[in-house]
Amino acid sequence: MVKQSSSVYSIFRSMLIASVHVLAVYMHDILGGSNPTAKPITGLLGNTYGGQVPFAKPIGFLPPQGGVPIPNANGALPTVNGLGPDGLGLGFGTITIIDDILTTAPELGSQNVGKAQGVYVASSADGSTQMMAFTAMIEGGEYGDTLNFYGVFKIGSPMSHLSVTGGTGKFKSANGFAEVRSLIPPGQYVTDGAETLLRIIVHLSY
């Protein structure tokens, strides 16, 4: 009886392993510049984009030469380093909407596999985390394949984890998790915005 139960367990475990798929994509988050994929809608940068401070026009993140940066309510000033999902410079409570490009390789000009649309929120007062909620829309899917992600990105951590909360098309019954790492953009593709590059490895059952 014990031997039979052990055999059944082994078969079931093998079935589970066989049903797990691993997908790897790179998400390019570009804040500012001529082709931004992310836009803050609250906080200092959100006000700048919305035309609520003087000289609000797409000139980048720092003021023009000789200009004076305008601090937010907490006295924080915008910086180039850390703009995007790593959260530095956006300020606690800042909500940023994204329409990020997903590619098969780290280079921005590599094969495009879809878009990631959603939001990330500076969710800790000390700037150490970003709450992320977005849908990855995979191009070329017969039924409009999508995957939904939700979780917290930990700034400075070697790896963060997001939950896969569902999907559509062939991913309609999807569940699993994603390992997220922040990488340094390789630089072969030049952009005039501030790019944050994330490698997302998805462990998926569907």
Side-chain angles (χ1 to χ4, degrees), residues 124-174:
S124 61
D126 63 0
S128 63
T129 60
Q130 289 275 350
M131 186 280 290
M132 303 185 75
F134 64 90
T135 297
M137 299 183 295
I138 311 302
E139 291 185 349
E142 182 179 357
Y143 305 105
D145 302 331
T146 68
L147 280 171
N148 301 324
F149 296 88
Y150 179 82
V152 173
F153 181 85
K154 299 177 181 178
I155 300 152
S157 174
M159 182 185 298
S160 298
H161 292 89
L162 304 178
S163 298
V164 175
T165 59
T168 61
K170 73 176 181 180
F171 300 126
K172 64 181 180 180
S173 301

Side-chain angles (χ1 to χ4, degrees), residues 16-29:
L16 285 176
I17 294 174
S19 66
V20 174
H21 305 265
V22 179
L23 310 173
V25 296
Y26 295 83
M27 189 167 95
H28 303 264
D29 187 83

Side-chain angles (χ1 to χ4, degrees), residues 90-124:
L90 290 179
F92 177 46
T94 298
I95 300 172
T96 302
I97 55 175
I98 63 170
D99 185 19
D100 288 346
I101 300 168
L102 299 174
T103 61
T104 57
E107 294 78 18
L108 183 55
S110 59
Q111 182 181 351
N112 192 326
V113 295
K115 290 286 193 76
Q117 295 184 343
V119 299
Y120 55 81
V121 182
S123 53
S124 61

